[in-house]
Amino acid sequence: MSRKGVGIGAFDRSRLTSAHFASHGSNLRASNAEALSTQLSVFRSLLQQFAQTHAKDIRSDPSFRAQFARMCSVIGVDPLASSHTEGGSTGGGLWAQLLGESVNDFYFELAVRVVEVCGVTRGENGGLIGLAELTERVSKGRMEGSSEISEDDVRRAVETLKPLGGSYAVLQVGKKEYIRSVPRELSGDQRAVVEAVQVLGYVSVGMLRDNLGWETARCKTVIDDLMSEGMLWVDKQTKGEWEYWSPSFMVDTDGAVKEGE
Amino acid sequence: MAAASTAAAGADTSFRFPREYSFPAFFTRQTNLTTHHAQLSKWSALVLAYARHHRIFRLGLSAAADSDLFYNRRLDRRLGMPDIRELLDFMKRDGRIEYASGGGGDGAGGGEGEVVFVYWRKPEEWARKIEKYVEETGQKGGVLTVYELGQGEGTRGTEIHGIDNEVLLKALNVLVRKGRAQIFGQDDSQGVKFF
């Protein structure tokens, strides 16, 4: 049987040990944090170095650029943020240094093109455009000799529009990504139809009824909703039921439609 | 006219249809107003590009309805006559087509309103081209016959060569109204003087 800890002194002792533990713990935490922050700053400077040595690749190769951006975001560095170089001497952010001297530059310029294309095509697609299609259209409008643009670039450009409070957002429906340029959320049923349309490019009331197990009235309602928002086009020249087409199939399956015929 | 346009189509490299031409729903009149407007704009652009490519100046409606412009045989989809008329009204508002009075004179059209001029260049634009041509060739102040302008050796190699006679006259009348030209003579042998 231990006699330890008997008497008033025991209270003192335990208070002492817990105080020791506490101070030791905070020491540890402090040194840990310090080590981490040094590591991080070392990492950042390395990253910057890396970015500078590979500036040409980052500029010209979209997949390399995407990889680099992904790496940055994993480390918690936002290459687009202009405040990231705390020294201030360089300013303007990594991308700014890499992708063009008149900053706010590459991605902002791209964002402007995104807004343009979304505006022009809103009439035909109701403000919902496939990321792939958008990327293609944005690329087409660019001058000869300017660097290639990837879907990742466009996604990033759309992100830069967020602070403007606009309605621009990236939307994942099923396997496909869309850019939405109208302040409208899709309902659950609408999402289901937009997803179903991806398979063949069109849906019909019968297809929805059979595949989603919905009542006919429900199918009709959702289709009518999407039609009234301009997100579906009706084809009445079918042999049977009317088919409702996704306008993004004016592009995506240009070849596929041909093959299907 | 249909014969002439198909001949032109055969001679040229084939026209590249826009992607919406492979989109089945493009051939059905859309019920949503905004969508419908987008649809009309696309069709209008297609008709103009098609006419420009084949240098079609006048379009016989019934022949056109069966041509590949409005009838995609691969998809088995066509733009119906009421929709074609609606499209033409839309284009007319933009000054891009004009109904030819008198059925075009070659008997192909039949009744009134069956033939339209397609202005992939408006008469005013043709007028500018003609004026530029006259200036550049130093024929200002001189007299040319209408035939010379449209079919003569002088304009060969320019865009004016082969222009539809009636469209040419419309263009010349634009210049007359501006006081830049004067037309005289009989129907068959009209001449133009440029100032």
mmCIF file of all heavy atoms in Angstrom, chain B residues 91-117:
data_model
loop_
_atom_site.group_PDB
_atom_site.id
_atom_site.type_symbol
_atom_site.label_atom_id
_atom_site.label_comp_id
_atom_site.label_asym_id
_atom_site.label_seq_id
_atom_site.Cartn_x
_atom_site.Cartn_y
_atom_site.Cartn_z
ATOM 1 N N MET B 91 -36.076 37.966 -90.173
ATOM 2 C CA MET B 91 -34.929 38.489 -90.921
ATOM 3 C C MET B 91 -35.283 39.788 -91.635
ATOM 4 O O MET B 91 -34.437 40.657 -91.824
ATOM 5 C CB MET B 91 -34.441 37.446 -91.927
ATOM 6 C CG MET B 91 -33.839 36.219 -91.263
ATOM 7 S SD MET B 91 -33.330 34.966 -92.458
ATOM 8 C CE MET B 91 -31.867 35.734 -93.149
ATOM 9 N N LYS B 92 -36.546 39.899 -92.033
ATOM 10 C CA LYS B 92 -36.985 41.096 -92.732
ATOM 11 C C LYS B 92 -36.879 42.309 -91.810
ATOM 12 O O LYS B 92 -36.483 43.391 -92.235
ATOM 13 C CB LYS B 92 -38.436 40.896 -93.194
ATOM 14 C CG LYS B 92 -38.899 41.918 -94.204
ATOM 15 C CD LYS B 92 -40.277 41.556 -94.702
ATOM 16 C CE LYS B 92 -40.962 42.784 -95.268
ATOM 17 N NZ LYS B 92 -42.418 42.624 -95.296
ATOM 18 N N ARG B 93 -37.222 42.086 -90.546
ATOM 19 C CA ARG B 93 -37.130 43.174 -89.577
ATOM 20 C C ARG B 93 -35.692 43.676 -89.457
ATOM 21 O O ARG B 93 -35.444 44.828 -89.154
ATOM 22 C CB ARG B 93 -37.645 42.707 -88.206
ATOM 23 C CG ARG B 93 -39.059 43.195 -87.902
ATOM 24 C CD ARG B 93 -39.593 42.535 -86.663
ATOM 25 N NE ARG B 93 -40.200 41.247 -86.959
ATOM 26 C CZ ARG B 93 -40.167 40.197 -86.149
ATOM 27 N NH1 ARG B 93 -39.551 40.261 -84.992
ATOM 28 N NH2 ARG B 93 -40.760 39.068 -86.504
ATOM 29 N N ASP B 94 -34.751 42.762 -89.678
ATOM 30 C CA ASP B 94 -33.340 43.137 -89.620
ATOM 31 C C ASP B 94 -32.842 43.678 -90.956
ATOM 32 O O ASP B 94 -31.661 43.998 -91.091
ATOM 33 C CB ASP B 94 -32.493 41.901 -89.263
ATOM 34 C CG ASP B 94 -32.328 41.770 -87.767
ATOM 35 O OD1 ASP B 94 -32.668 42.726 -87.064
ATOM 36 O OD2 ASP B 94 -31.847 40.713 -87.323
ATOM 37 N N GLY B 95 -33.718 43.703 -91.947
ATOM 38 C CA GLY B 95 -33.301 44.147 -93.273
ATOM 39 C C GLY B 95 -32.441 43.127 -93.989
ATOM 40 O O GLY B 95 -31.665 43.470 -94.868
ATOM 41 N N ARG B 96 -32.560 41.867 -93.594
ATOM 42 C CA ARG B 96 -31.703 40.842 -94.172
ATOM 43 C C ARG B 96 -32.347 40.078 -95.323
ATOM 44 O O ARG B 96 -31.684 39.333 -96.027
ATOM 45 C CB ARG B 96 -31.261 39.865 -93.075
ATOM 46 C CG ARG B 96 -30.150 40.422 -92.213
ATOM 47 C CD ARG B 96 -28.963 40.773 -93.067
ATOM 48 N NE ARG B 96 -27.890 41.416 -92.311
ATOM 49 C CZ ARG B 96 -26.799 41.902 -92.882
ATOM 50 N NH1 ARG B 96 -26.651 41.839 -94.182
ATOM 51 N NH2 ARG B 96 -25.865 42.478 -92.155
ATOM 52 N N ILE B 97 -33.649 40.188 -95.445
ATOM 53 C CA ILE B 97 -34.297 39.621 -96.622
ATOM 54 C C ILE B 97 -35.355 40.615 -97.091
ATOM 55 O O ILE B 97 -35.719 41.545 -96.363
ATOM 56 C CB ILE B 97 -34.978 38.253 -96.361
ATOM 57 C CG1 ILE B 97 -36.188 38.419 -95.427
ATOM 58 C CG2 ILE B 97 -34.015 37.223 -95.833
ATOM 59 C CD1 ILE B 97 -37.494 38.127 -96.104
ATOM 60 N N GLU B 98 -35.817 40.394 -98.283
ATOM 61 C CA GLU B 98 -36.912 41.221 -98.798
ATOM 62 C C GLU B 98 -37.709 40.344 -99.735
ATOM 63 O O GLU B 98 -37.131 39.589 -100.529
ATOM 64 C CB GLU B 98 -36.343 42.425 -99.540
ATOM 65 C CG GLU B 98 -37.378 43.473 -99.887
ATOM 66 C CD GLU B 98 -36.764 44.616 -100.688
ATOM 67 O OE1 GLU B 98 -35.545 44.862 -100.537
ATOM 68 O OE2 GLU B 98 -37.492 45.228 -101.470
ATOM 69 N N TYR B 99 -39.040 40.401 -99.615
ATOM 70 C CA TYR B 99 -39.862 39.627 -100.533
ATOM 71 C C TYR B 99 -39.785 40.262 -101.912
ATOM 72 O O TYR B 99 -39.924 41.469 -102.048
ATOM 73 C CB TYR B 99 -41.308 39.579 -100.049
ATOM 74 C CG TYR B 99 -41.507 38.570 -98.933
ATOM 75 C CD1 TYR B 99 -41.457 38.961 -97.606
ATOM 76 C CD2 TYR B 99 -41.722 37.229 -99.245
ATOM 77 C CE1 TYR B 99 -41.607 38.032 -96.589
ATOM 78 C CE2 TYR B 99 -41.891 36.298 -98.231
ATOM 79 C CZ TYR B 99 -41.829 36.706 -96.910
ATOM 80 O OH TYR B 99 -41.981 35.781 -95.919
ATOM 81 N N ALA B 100 -39.520 39.438 -102.905
ATOM 82 C CA ALA B 100 -39.449 39.952 -104.272
ATOM 83 C C ALA B 100 -40.860 40.057 -104.810
ATOM 84 O O ALA B 100 -41.620 39.092 -104.751
ATOM 85 C CB ALA B 100 -38.618 39.012 -105.136
ATOM 86 N N SER B 101 -41.192 41.210 -105.326
ATOM 87 C CA SER B 101 -42.526 41.350 -105.892
ATOM 88 C C SER B 101 -42.497 40.778 -107.299
ATOM 89 O O SER B 101 -41.494 40.857 -108.003
ATOM 90 C CB SER B 101 -42.924 42.826 -105.936
ATOM 91 O OG SER B 101 -41.898 43.571 -106.557
ATOM 92 N N GLY B 102 -43.583 40.131 -107.703
ATOM 93 C CA GLY B 102 -43.665 39.600 -109.061
ATOM 94 C C GLY B 102 -43.017 38.237 -109.223
ATOM 95 O O GLY B 102 -42.876 37.745 -110.332
ATOM 96 N N GLY B 103 -42.638 37.626 -108.154
ATOM 97 C CA GLY B 103 -42.198 36.226 -108.211
ATOM 98 C C GLY B 103 -40.869 36.014 -108.904
ATOM 99 O O GLY B 103 -40.555 34.914 -109.316
ATOM 100 N N GLY B 104 -40.078 37.048 -109.046
ATOM 101 C CA GLY B 104 -38.714 36.847 -109.519
ATOM 102 C C GLY B 104 -38.574 36.746 -111.019
ATOM 103 O O GLY B 104 -37.481 36.703 -111.542
ATOM 104 N N GLY B 105 -39.672 36.684 -111.749
ATOM 105 C CA GLY B 105 -39.600 36.783 -113.195
ATOM 106 C C GLY B 105 -39.216 35.526 -113.938
ATOM 107 O O GLY B 105 -39.452 35.413 -115.131
ATOM 108 N N ASP B 106 -38.646 34.537 -113.271
ATOM 109 C CA ASP B 106 -38.244 33.342 -114.009
ATOM 110 C C ASP B 106 -39.283 32.231 -113.884
ATOM 111 O O ASP B 106 -39.068 31.111 -114.328
ATOM 112 C CB ASP B 106 -36.863 32.848 -113.569
ATOM 113 C CG ASP B 106 -36.798 32.659 -112.075
ATOM 114 O OD1 ASP B 106 -37.867 32.592 -111.445
ATOM 115 O OD2 ASP B 106 -35.680 32.584 -111.535
ATOM 116 N N GLY B 107 -40.379 32.539 -113.278
ATOM 117 C CA GLY B 107 -41.475 31.573 -113.245
ATOM 118 C C GLY B 107 -41.298 30.451 -112.251
ATOM 119 O O GLY B 107 -42.214 29.667 -112.032
ATOM 120 N N ALA B 108 -40.143 30.373 -111.616
ATOM 121 C CA ALA B 108 -39.907 29.268 -110.693
ATOM 122 C C ALA B 108 -40.745 29.422 -109.422
ATOM 123 O O ALA B 108 -41.198 28.443 -108.846
ATOM 124 C CB ALA B 108 -38.430 29.208 -110.327
ATOM 125 N N GLY B 109 -40.928 30.644 -109.025
ATOM 126 C CA GLY B 109 -41.564 30.895 -107.737
ATOM 127 C C GLY B 109 -43.055 30.635 -107.723
ATOM 128 O O GLY B 109 -43.593 30.152 -106.742
ATOM 129 N N GLY B 110 -43.713 30.958 -108.841
ATOM 130 C CA GLY B 110 -45.160 30.830 -108.823
ATOM 131 C C GLY B 110 -45.773 32.132 -108.372
ATOM 132 O O GLY B 110 -45.597 33.153 -109.019
ATOM 133 N N GLY B 111 -46.451 32.122 -107.252
ATOM 134 C CA GLY B 111 -47.199 33.299 -106.810
ATOM 135 C C GLY B 111 -46.328 34.341 -106.157
ATOM 136 O O GLY B 111 -45.113 34.242 -106.109
ATOM 137 N N GLU B 112 -46.993 35.361 -105.652
ATOM 138 C CA GLU B 112 -46.289 36.444 -104.988
ATOM 139 C C GLU B 112 -45.732 35.966 -103.653
ATOM 140 O O GLU B 112 -46.274 35.086 -103.016
ATOM 141 C CB GLU B 112 -47.249 37.610 -104.742
ATOM 142 C CG GLU B 112 -47.695 38.279 -106.017
ATOM 143 C CD GLU B 112 -47.569 39.780 -105.909
ATOM 144 O OE1 GLU B 112 -47.280 40.270 -104.793
ATOM 145 O OE2 GLU B 112 -47.723 40.459 -106.929
ATOM 146 N N GLY B 113 -44.639 36.555 -103.251
ATOM 147 C CA GLY B 113 -44.081 36.255 -101.943
ATOM 148 C C GLY B 113 -43.375 34.915 -101.873
ATOM 149 O O GLY B 113 -42.973 34.484 -100.815
ATOM 150 N N GLU B 114 -43.220 34.273 -103.028
ATOM 151 C CA GLU B 114 -42.575 32.973 -102.994
ATOM 152 C C GLU B 114 -41.063 33.054 -103.147
ATOM 153 O O GLU B 114 -40.366 32.102 -102.956
ATOM 154 C CB GLU B 114 -43.154 32.074 -104.096
ATOM 155 C CG GLU B 114 -44.558 31.610 -103.798
ATOM 156 C CD GLU B 114 -44.630 30.819 -102.505
ATOM 157 O OE1 GLU B 114 -43.912 29.815 -102.370
ATOM 158 O OE2 GLU B 114 -45.406 31.236 -101.620
ATOM 159 N N VAL B 115 -40.596 34.223 -103.545
ATOM 160 C CA VAL B 115 -39.157 34.403 -103.701
ATOM 161 C C VAL B 115 -38.702 35.562 -102.818
ATOM 162 O O VAL B 115 -39.387 36.583 -102.738
ATOM 163 C CB VAL B 115 -38.792 34.697 -105.174
ATOM 164 C CG1 VAL B 115 -37.322 35.050 -105.307
ATOM 165 C CG2 VAL B 115 -39.143 33.504 -106.041
ATOM 166 N N VAL B 116 -37.592 35.364 -102.155
ATOM 167 C CA VAL B 116 -37.054 36.463 -101.356
ATOM 168 C C VAL B 116 -35.620 36.764 -101.774
ATOM 169 O O VAL B 116 -34.891 35.873 -102.203
ATOM 170 C CB VAL B 116 -37.063 36.142 -99.846
ATOM 171 C CG1 VAL B 116 -38.475 36.014 -99.329
ATOM 172 C CG2 VAL B 116 -36.234 34.905 -99.545
ATOM 173 N N PHE B 117 -35.266 38.023 -101.666
ATOM 174 C CA PHE B 117 -33.857 38.388 -101.798
ATOM 175 C C PHE B 117 -33.200 38.134 -100.449
ATOM 176 O O PHE B 117 -33.739 38.497 -99.419
ATOM 177 C CB PHE B 117 -33.716 39.872 -102.151
ATOM 178 C CG PHE B 117 -34.209 40.209 -103.520
ATOM 179 C CD1 PHE B 117 -35.351 40.972 -103.696
ATOM 180 C CD2 PHE B 117 -33.521 39.749 -104.643
ATOM 181 C CE1 PHE B 117 -35.809 41.277 -104.973
ATOM 182 C CE2 PHE B 117 -33.979 40.054 -105.918
ATOM 183 C CZ PHE B 117 -35.125 40.815 -106.084
#
